């Protein structure tokens, strides 16, 4: 029946069906996994004569993109190899080609999955163990290369070590001497590699109760423990064990000798990581015990859960369901692992792999599926987070309302992390809801941390301020604007505002009247205070002001930049100005700054894209002309055709350069202001004999780190300038350390 | 064999797809409307509480990206909040993320609903129900007392959004 159907179907339909069959194997089914694999192997074997290349492509793709089902697919390949030795060989060759291709285009995360797949193929008798060891020998010898970034060596080391949970036992059994040598080379590499980058990536400040290890150190401890346990690993599901009798009859292939592609200028390796932990065996005393932080099970579970999120991030319900159906539910505290992995991603520095709002919504979906257990895990998580806070961004952005029971927030200085966190979360909650509701739900004892009622303070609206200069003008102005007076009429009203700078002359004959500006802007914004839309239509041409309503400030600054009333550097200078000094550590300030930087970045990208598109248009035009032999236009008319496009390209080129220079200037301004501010503080502390590490200082240094991390790709372009101009050797070592840690991330 | 291929199960993006709803008042063909919907950066947001402010919308929807504009829906007759709004982003990708992660979550205790919109045009901020509210809204209004809404959510008062100049 199947054969008949196939003859009448389109080839693309067949390919879709094959892809669907292959992707679905391993999912919930009425039959056992073994019988499904057996059946699928039979179908594919029968299809090999006609659809071999398609099947190869699909299998290589699942190896690369569905690493959470690694062992299912290695088993499938094992069965196919047992039935068709040539196919096995071609598959291995295709995998090697794919691996080389990935490394060439900097797809290092996917390359790791391919390496792991290849190594598990040893367990399926597809690849001979000695040839796998030889490949790993080439990987480890990368650490002997000279003048290469440490992150390059790190990757090859990681690719080797992270495959061992799957294949360590088999490789050690066949080649123990070689493996011992590799492991001792690993140990000496790990001892000598530098770890300057670690403090920048850590989330918690203290190491108790959960030390935050650098990822390679953690993995090494896990592998050492695995070796001590004689490579016994019990968590990974290995369907190939059920087929041992079939598979060990199969002939194995040797991996071709694999030379790691050399380092080039364009190589971009993954950045180092710190392993985020928040649970251990003491959590959930009633359920299964959490595997220790140095157990290889912990590594495998976390890897798989991260892969599931990576596969299904767009589909929140599917993602939640897949996470919760991860096998081993009754042997491991799965819910704790899931929550830990989600928070690890949320807290990942420089930035989470996916948009933050995805994680909060995912948590909600998980709670919906597991109403009994998950909320308790989450609240235990939240209590932990509250206790040891360093980075607040991701957490504070959650739009769940947290319940607080730690009243020692109240007695502390409001700048300390805990009360500050509470205050900022309440502020965020208020933005999502409204002031009265927050006041209603927050216990009275916490009122000192409650956000202020965000009403707009309009000083000219208060009769008791009658005597303020500009008061009467403000009244006239209010009436005039309400009556839709013309611009001329408005300006003539403003002429009457006294100028406090009357006697100042900056020598260039140019004076301005700050009071006039203040009266106008305050009045305008008071009238417009009802909502954003009204504010935007009113804000035609004026400079920044300080306004009480925080959310409004952020949104207004955004609009002012977009309508080019102010430029980004002006916003940066404003953020660091003395007017905002008292709010310097508030979250909204940093939201504004980062949003400003983002806008600048988007602007540069946009113009660059326009330039590339125009260049492409010109190239197409040339191509069309070249291929048209009958054209007997003379040179002058072809120049005429090119003229406007070439002019446009020149103009865009200038625009790109000027935008890039503006962008660089923005970062330089920001770094310069940070340095000034921090240096002032350090000098003041030293001369006054006080401790440097005030809450303000810690917050400021972290914000500086955040700038580096969040925009690292762009900042990389300015390293030379930064080193020579700003972060020079004379700088205080506290500040210089941040720069050095950043340099170490790609060193 | 390239390293860039993908699998159709990984391409699945059901939350960001077009729904079945098509605006009957849209001027143009079905084809035109769908073309606009597929490149739109504007979302329709429904089932809002009448209390919900523009600022709250900004805060919630700002989580998926920079917002260009929010237009609150109004009762055509009373010019009061009507339980829906439009959110326009600068980038389509940000609107897609809102469809994936903000659609179906709570705001002011109500599960809000988002859908693609072909683009705001003047006049579309008014409810099209017979009494001026949203379609399906009950007609009884009382400035001093109770108002009943489609799902019988009872309000004690409602806020009035007024324009600067009458």
């Amino acid at each position: 029946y199947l054969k008949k159907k196939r003859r009448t179907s389109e080839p693309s339909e067949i390919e879709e069906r094959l892809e669907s069959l292959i992707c679905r194997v391993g999912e919930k089914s009425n039959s056992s996994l073994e019988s499904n694999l057996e059946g699928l192997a039979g179908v594919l074997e029968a299809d090999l004569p006609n659809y071999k290349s398609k099947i190869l492509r699909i299998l290589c793709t699942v190896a690369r993109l569905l690493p959470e089902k690694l062992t299912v697919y290695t088993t499938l390949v094992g069965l196919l190899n047992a039935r068709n030795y040539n196919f096995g060989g071609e598959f291995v060759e295709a995998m090697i080609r794919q691996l080389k291709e990935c490394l060439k285009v900097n797809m290092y995360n996917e390359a790791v999955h391919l390496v792991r797949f290849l190594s598990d193929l040893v367990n399926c008798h597809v690849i001979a163990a000695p040839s796998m060891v030889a490949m790993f020998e080439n990987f480890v010898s990368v650490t002997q290369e000279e003048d290469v970034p440490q992150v390059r060596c790190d990757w090859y080391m990681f690719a080797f070590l992270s495959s061992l949970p799957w294949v360590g036992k088999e490789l050690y059994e066949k080649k123990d001497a070689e493996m011992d040598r590799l492991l001792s080379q690993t140990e000496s590499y790990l001892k000598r590699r530098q770890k300057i980058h670690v403090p920048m990536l850590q989330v918690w400040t203290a190491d108790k109760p959960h030390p935050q290890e650098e990822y390679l150190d953690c993995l090494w401890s896990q592998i050492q423990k695995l070796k001590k346990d004689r490579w016994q690993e019990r968590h990974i599901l290995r369907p190939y064990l059920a087929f041992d009798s079939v598979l060990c009859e199969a002939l194995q292939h040797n991996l071709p000798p694999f030379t790691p592609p050399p380092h080039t200028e364009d190589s971009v390796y993954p950045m180092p990581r710190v392993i985020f932990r928040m649970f251990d065996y003491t959590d959930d005393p009633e359920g299964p015990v959490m595997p220790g932080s140095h157990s290889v099970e912990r590594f495998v579970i976390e890897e798989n859960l991260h892969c599931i999120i990576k596969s299904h991030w767009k589909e929140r319900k599917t993602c939640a369901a897949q996470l919760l159906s991860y096998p081993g539910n009754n042997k491991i505290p799965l819910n704790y692992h899931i929550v830990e992995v989600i928070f690890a991603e949320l807290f990942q520095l420089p930035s989470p792999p996916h948009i933050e709002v995805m994680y909060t919504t995912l948590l909600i979906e998980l709670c919906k599926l597991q109403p009994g257990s998950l909320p308790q895990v989450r609240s235990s998580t939240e209590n932990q987070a509250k206790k040891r806070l360093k980075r607040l961004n991701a957490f504070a952005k959650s739009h769940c309302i947290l319940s607080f029971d730690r009243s020692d927030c109240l007695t502390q200085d409001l700048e300390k992390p805990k009360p500050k966190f509470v205050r900022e979360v309440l502020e965020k909650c208020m933005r999502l809801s409204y002031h009265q509701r927050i006041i209603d739900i927050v216990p009275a004892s916490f009122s000192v941390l409650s956000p202020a009622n965000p009403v707009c303070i309009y000083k000219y609206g208060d009769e008791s301020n009658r005597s303020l200069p500009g008061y009467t003008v403000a009244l006239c102005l209010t009436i005039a604007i309400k009556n839709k007076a013309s611009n001329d009429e408005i300006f003539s009203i403003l002429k009457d505002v006294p100028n406090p700078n009357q006697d100042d002359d900056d020598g260039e004959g140019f004076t301005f009247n700050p009071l006039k500006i203040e009266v106008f802007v305050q009045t305008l914004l008071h009238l417009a205070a009802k909502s954003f839309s009204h504010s935007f239509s009113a804000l035609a041409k004026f400079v920044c002001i300080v306004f009480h309503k925080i959310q409004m400030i952020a949104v207004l600054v955004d609009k002012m930049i977009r309508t080019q009333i102010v430029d980004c550097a002006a916003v940066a200078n404003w953020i660091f100005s003395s007017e905002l000094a008292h709010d310097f550590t508030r979250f909204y300030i940093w939201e504004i700054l980062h949003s400003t930087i983002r806008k600048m970045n988007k602007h540069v990208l946009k113009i660059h894209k326009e330039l590339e598109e125009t260049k492409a248009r010109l190239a197409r035009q040339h191509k069309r002309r070249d291929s048209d032999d009958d054209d007997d236009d003379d040179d002058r008319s072809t120049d005429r055709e090119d003229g406007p496009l070439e002019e446009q390209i020149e103009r865009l080129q200038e625009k790109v350069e000027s935008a890039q220079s503006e962008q660089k200037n923005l970062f330089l301004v920001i770094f310069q202001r940070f340095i000034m501010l921090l240096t002032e503080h350090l000098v003041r502390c030293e001369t006054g004999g006080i401790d440097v590490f005030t809450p303000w200082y810690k917050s400021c240094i972290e914000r500086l780190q955040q700038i580096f991390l969040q925009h690292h790709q762009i900042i990389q372009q300015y390293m030379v300038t930064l080193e020579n101009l700003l972060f020079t050797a004379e700088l205080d070592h506290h500040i210089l350390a941040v720069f050095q840690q950043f340099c170490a991330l790609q060193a | 064999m390239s390293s860039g291929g993908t699998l159709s199960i990984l391409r699945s993006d059901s939350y960001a797809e077009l729904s079945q709803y098509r605006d009957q008042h849209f001027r143009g063909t079905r084809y035109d409307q769908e073309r606009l919907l597929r490149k739109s950066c504007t979302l329709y947001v429904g089932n809002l509480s009448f209390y919900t402010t523009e600022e709250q919308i900004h805060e919630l929807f700002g989580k998926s990206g920079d917002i260009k504009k929010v237009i609150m829906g109004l009762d055509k007759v009373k010019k009061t909040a009507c339980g829906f709004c439009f959110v326009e982003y600068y980038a389509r990708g940000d609107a897609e993320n809102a469809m994936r992660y903000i659609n179906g979550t709570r705001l002011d205790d109500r599960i809000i609903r988002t859908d693609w919109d072909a683009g705001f045009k003047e006049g579309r901020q008014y409810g099209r129900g017979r009494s001026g509210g949203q379609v399906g809204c009950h007609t009884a209004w009382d400035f001093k007392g109770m108002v009943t809404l489609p799902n019988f959510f009872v309000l004690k008062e409602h806020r009035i959004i007024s324009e600067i100049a009458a």
Side-chain angles (χ1 to χ4, degrees):
Chain A
Y1 169 61
L2 269 173
K3 264 208 168 88
K4 234 201 221 161
K5 261 228 130 164
R6 244 179 283 130
R7 244 184 272 128
T8 55
S9 298
E10 288 288 332
S12 60
E13 274 180 32
I14 306 278
E15 185 165 353
E16 267 172 42
R17 196 131 26 99
L18 283 173
E19 190 182 294
S20 168
L21 277 175
I22 293 173
C23 288
R24 279 198 333 250
V25 79
E27 261 147 65
K28 274 200 168 75
S29 157
N30 290 328
S31 332
S32 71
L33 176 59
E34 285 79 29
S35 73
N36 283 335
L37 280 171
E38 181 96 62
L40 182 55
V43 169
L44 293 179
E45 188 196 2
D47 277 332
L48 281 181
N50 294 321
Y51 299 104
K52 183 175 65 170
S53 57
K54 294 197 203 305
I55 293 172
L56 275 176
R57 180 196 72 77
I58 296 170
L59 288 176
C60 282
T61 310
V62 302
R64 184 167 48 88
L65 298 180
L66 295 179
E68 61 269 30
K69 291 170 77 177
L70 174 73
T71 51
V72 170
Y73 292 116
T74 52
T75 307
L76 179 62
V77 172
L79 292 173
L80 286 171
N81 180 57
R83 296 163 186 236
N84 188 321
Y85 176 78
N86 286 334
F87 177 78
E90 287 186 63
F91 178 76
V92 171
E93 275 168 24
M95 284 287 283
I96 294 290
R97 274 199 303 275
Q98 193 180 210
L99 175 60
K100 286 196 174 128
E101 188 60 38
C102 281
L103 294 177
K104 214 164 49 159
V105 297
N106 292 324
M107 284 165 70
Y108 286 98
N109 295 326
E110 304 195 344
V112 168
H113 302 151
L114 295 175
V115 172
R116 230 176 261 166
F117 196 96
L118 287 171
S119 61
D120 200 44
L121 285 179
V122 172
N123 295 324
C124 301
H125 299 260
V126 177
I127 293 180
S131 68
M132 194 72 222
V133 174
M135 183 186 227
F136 284 144
E137 279 170 345
N138 285 345
F139 277 27
V140 172
S141 64
V142 168
T143 60
Q144 304 296 331
E145 286 175 5
E146 289 183 356
D147 287 329
V148 293
Q150 181 176 284
V151 283
R152 170 180 164 86
C153 307
D154 284 354
W155 184 82
Y156 282 97
M157 196 49 82
F158 180 73
F160 163 56
L161 288 175
S162 70
S163 305
L164 293 183
W166 282 266
V167 75
K169 180 153 184 271
E170 187 67 23
L171 293 186
Y172 207 78
E173 271 172 21
K174 297 271 158 48
K175 288 274 180 181
D176 61 344
E178 285 80 355
M179 286 296 287
D180 274 332
R181 210 176 320 130
L182 283 179
L183 292 174
S184 89
Q185 283 176 322
T186 302
E187 185 161 26
S188 65
Y189 170 70
L190 291 176
K191 278 210 177 86
R192 69 171 192 266
R193 73 190 269 271
Q194 56 87 340
K195 293 200 282 230
I196 306 177
H197 54 273
V198 174
M200 198 176 223
L201 301 174
Q202 284 173 319
V203 176
W204 305 133
T205 39
D207 264 353
K208 288 199 152 54
H210 302 296
Q212 301 164 78
E213 296 178 87
E214 209 265 353
Y215 80 114
L216 270 188
D217 288 341
C218 184
L219 180 54
W220 175 239
S221 303
Q222 289 161 334
I223 299 301
Q224 281 184 301
K225 181 163 185 298
L226 177 63
K227 179 172 180 218
K228 233 190 287 184
D229 292 342
R230 290 171 318 140
W231 303 99
Q232 300 297 336
E233 186 290 319
R234 271 175 260 278
H235 173 77
I236 299 174
L237 236 54
R238 299 177 194 255
Y240 40 81
L241 293 177
F243 293 102
D244 198 49
S245 53
V246 170
L247 294 178
C248 67
E249 298 290 307
L251 289 173
Q252 297 169 311
H253 303 266
N254 282 317
L255 275 177
F258 184 88
T259 321
H263 173 68
T264 69
E265 255 180 22
D266 298 323
S267 306
V268 179
Y269 305 97
M271 286 209 303
R273 288 171 282 133
V274 162
I275 303 295
F276 175 81
R277 288 277 157 71
M278 63 194 327
F279 296 125
D280 61 21
Y281 65 92
T282 60
D283 292 287
D284 191 22
E286 281 147 52
V289 177
M290 189 156 220
S293 58
H294 286 168
S295 72
V296 92
E297 282 80 14
R298 194 75 178 256
F299 173 77
V300 172
I301 294 166
E302 284 165 2
E303 279 288 296
N304 284 333
L305 293 178
H306 281 299
C307 288
I308 291 175
I309 296 177
K310 182 160 184 219
S311 291
H312 301 287
W313 62 273
K314 295 197 294 283
E315 296 279 2
R316 66 206 215 204
K317 284 192 166 52
T318 307
C319 195
Q322 290 283 342
L323 285 170
L324 288 171
S325 54
Y326 180 73
N329 200 0
N330 48 355
K331 294 203 202 78
I332 54 172
L334 181 60
N335 291 349
Y336 282 82
H337 284 292
I338 291 173
V339 171
E340 190 176 70
V341 161
I342 288 175
F343 277 100
E345 291 202 7
L346 259 176
F347 284 141
Q348 191 174 303
L349 296 170
S351 55
H354 304 287
I355 189 171
E356 286 168 4
V357 68
M358 184 280 277
Y359 298 101
T360 48
T361 306
L362 179 61
L363 282 169
I364 293 171
E365 293 297 331
L366 287 163
C367 287
K368 282 192 211 164
L369 290 173
Q370 293 255 300
S373 45
L374 217 55
Q376 280 141 345
V377 176
R378 251 192 47 235
S379 66
S380 124
T381 305
E382 286 151 7
N383 279 327
Q384 296 230 358
K386 275 179 269 157
K387 279 184 233 165
R388 295 166 276 131
L389 289 165
K390 183 175 171 176
R391 287 259 181 267
L392 308 176
N393 288 338
F395 209 90
K397 281 179 179 162
S398 156
H399 56 89
C400 312
I401 295 184
L402 309 175
S403 57
F404 300 99
D405 52 20
R406 304 283 292 180
S407 38
D408 53 284
C409 292
L410 303 173
T411 52
Q412 288 176 28
D413 157 27
L414 285 176
E415 273 304 308
K416 283 261 169 73
K418 234 183 295 180
K420 191 165 148 70
F421 172 69
V422 172
R423 216 170 48 151
E424 294 285 356
V425 172
L426 288 175
E427 168 83 38
K428 282 275 179 184
C429 291
M430 181 179 71
R431 288 206 220 170
L432 278 168
S433 162
Y434 47 94
H435 187 249
Q436 192 54 46
R437 180 144 160 82
I438 301 298
I439 298 300
D440 288 345
I441 61 176
V442 172
S445 47
F446 273 78
S447 58
V448 63
L449 297 172
S450 290
N453 195 354
V455 295
C456 305
I457 293 186
Y458 178 54
K459 64 184 179 195
Y460 301 113
D462 189 346
E463 280 226 349
S464 61
N465 285 336
R466 254 191 325 263
S467 53
L468 277 181
Y471 182 81
T472 30
V473 175
L475 273 181
C476 299
L477 198 57
T478 308
I479 296 168
I481 294 177
K482 273 193 178 156
N483 289 330
K484 296 194 167 64
S486 71
N487 285 353
D488 288 338
E489 288 166 326
I490 290 182
F491 280 125
S492 69
I493 294 176
L494 282 173
K495 254 207 293 241
D496 296 332
V497 177
N499 186 349
N501 284 349
Q502 204 69 43
D503 305 318
D504 289 351
D505 192 324
D506 65 1
E508 286 168 48
F510 178 76
T511 57
F512 72 97
N513 184 344
L515 185 61
K516 192 189 288 193
I517 295 174
E518 187 183 350
V519 166
F520 182 80
V521 174
Q522 284 248 351
T523 305
L524 205 60
L525 287 169
H526 166 68
L527 289 171
K530 302 284 195 306
S531 74
F532 291 147
S533 317
H534 293 129
S535 308
F536 298 152
S537 46
L539 252 196
K541 4 174 184 294
F542 305 93
V543 296
C544 293
I545 40 77
V546 178
F547 204 91
H548 198 74
K549 194 163 180 184
I550 282 172
Q551 192 186 17
M552 257 212 168
I553 303 179
V555 177
L556 286 174
V557 170
D558 174 278
K559 265 310 187 212
M560 285 193 277
I561 292 179
R562 291 191 193 273
T563 52
Q564 297 182 304
I565 296 175
V566 297
D567 63 36
C568 295
V571 174
N573 274 314
W574 173 60
I575 299 253
F576 286 93
S577 68
S578 48
E579 283 92 41
L580 287 190
H582 56 90
D583 267 2
F584 191 68
T585 54
R586 299 292 306 280
F587 284 14
Y588 80 92
I589 294 286
W590 302 100
E591 270 178 44
I592 293 176
L593 187 60
H594 282 283
S595 151
T596 303
I597 297 175
R598 264 198 322 267
K599 273 192 276 291
M600 182 80 243
N601 297 343
K602 280 194 193 153
H603 174 68
V604 170
L605 285 175
K606 180 162 155 253
I607 306 187
H608 193 85
K609 186 164 168 231
E610 248 186 270
L611 175 64
E612 295 304 308
E613 279 171 2
T614 314
K615 279 186 179 164
R617 275 211 306 215
L618 187 63
R620 278 198 298 274
Q621 195 165 288
H622 283 167
K623 223 168 149 198
R624 248 179 290 138
R625 208 181 19 246
D626 289 343
S627 66
D628 200 355
D629 288 324
D630 296 335
D631 218 18
D632 47 18
D633 280 356
D634 59 54
D635 283 336
R636 270 173 300 150
S637 74
T638 56
D639 281 347
R640 231 184 298 135
E641 272 176 40
D642 281 349
L645 267 187
E646 280 176 357
E647 258 178 53
Q648 208 178 348
I649 289 180
E650 226 183 278
R651 253 184 295 127
L652 283 173
Q653 192 77 52
E654 277 172 27
K655 245 178 130 185
V656 164
E657 281 164 17
S658 120
Q660 283 173 333
S661 125
E662 206 189 320
Q663 183 185 40
K664 181 173 183 179
N665 187 51
L666 174 63
F667 280 104
L668 291 181
V669 163
I670 292 172
F671 285 129
Q672 191 176 41
R673 298 303 298 253
F674 261 115
I675 291 176
M676 282 161 54
L677 216 57
L678 286 166
T679 306
E680 251 177 58
H681 170 85
L682 290 165
V683 165
R684 214 181 313 128
C685 289
E686 261 157 64
T687 52
I690 23 175
D691 180 29
V692 161
F693 295 98
T694 60
W696 177 90
Y697 173 79
K698 284 195 204 139
S699 176
C700 191
I701 278 277
E702 281 163 30
R703 290 300 182 183
L704 174 59
Q705 283 174 339
Q706 189 188 14
I707 303 276
F708 274 114
L709 291 175
Q710 243 178 286
H711 307 283
H712 63 101
Q713 276 172 314
I714 311 224
I715 296 176
Q716 298 280 1
Q717 301 167 56
Y718 312 139
M719 296 306 273
V720 178
T721 309
L722 291 177
E723 207 171 342
N724 292 333
L725 216 56
L726 293 176
F727 293 95
T728 56
E730 296 88 56
L731 210 56
D732 185 297
H733 67 96
H734 292 100
I735 310 175
L736 201 52
V738 176
F739 180 67
Q740 287 166 339
Q741 285 167 19
F742 176 69
C743 293
L745 282 177
Q746 269 291 313
Chain B
M1 179 152 340
S2 81
S3 56
T6 182
L7 301 165
S8 46
I9 54 159
L10 297 180
R11 275 197 294 264
S12 175
D13 198 1
S14 62
Y15 285 89
E17 281 166 7
L18 302 190
S19 71
Q20 305 288 37
Y21 173 83
R22 297 290 176 269
D23 185 359
Q24 298 298 336
H25 291 224
F26 177 80
R27 292 241 177 94
T29 65
R30 217 6 87 94
Y31 174 78
D32 288 335
Q33 191 175 151
E34 280 172 25
R35 196 176 43 88
L36 286 174
L37 289 173
R38 277 184 225 287
K39 51 181 195 113
S40 169
C41 297
T42 306
L43 299 180
Y44 164 88
V45 184
N47 204 36
L48 296 177
S49 150
F50 282 28
Y51 276 133
T52 298
T53 62
E54 189 180 332
E55 286 83 353
Q56 285 170 265
I57 299 288
H58 229 277
E59 179 66 22
L60 178 60
F61 283 86
K63 287 178 190 300
S64 70
D66 292 335
I67 293 176
K68 185 170 179 180
K69 207 170 184 175
V70 171
I71 298 152
M72 300 301 287
L74 301 175
D75 179 293
K76 194 177 189 116
V77 173
K78 303 189 167 64
K79 304 291 199 301
T80 57
C82 195
F84 71 96
C85 75
F86 295 95
V87 176
E88 187 186 349
Y89 290 90
Y90 288 98
R92 166 112 183 156
D94 296 344
E96 285 171 352
N97 276 334
M99 290 288 285
R100 291 181 192 123
Y101 307 120
I102 302 177
N103 186 13
T105 61
R106 259 177 211 283
L107 180 59
D108 269 345
D109 255 343
R110 299 172 68 94
I111 303 284
I112 61 170
R113 189 175 53 82
T114 66
D115 198 0
W116 291 107
D117 189 81
F120 176 76
K121 284 205 158 47
E122 182 52 40
R124 297 190 65 228
Q125 73 269 43
Y126 297 112
R128 294 174 182 160
R130 250 183 315 134
S131 66
Q134 277 212 273
V135 172
C137 216
H138 287 226
T139 56
W141 288 88
D142 182 345
F143 277 85
K144 272 190 269 193
M146 316 288 231
V147 165
T148 41
L149 292 179
N151 48 3
F152 306 109
F153 184 78
V154 176
L155 295 178
K156 292 253 172 74
E157 59 176 274
H158 46 256
R159 304 216 285 189
I160 298 172
I161 294 178
S162 54
E163 295 174 318
I164 288 180

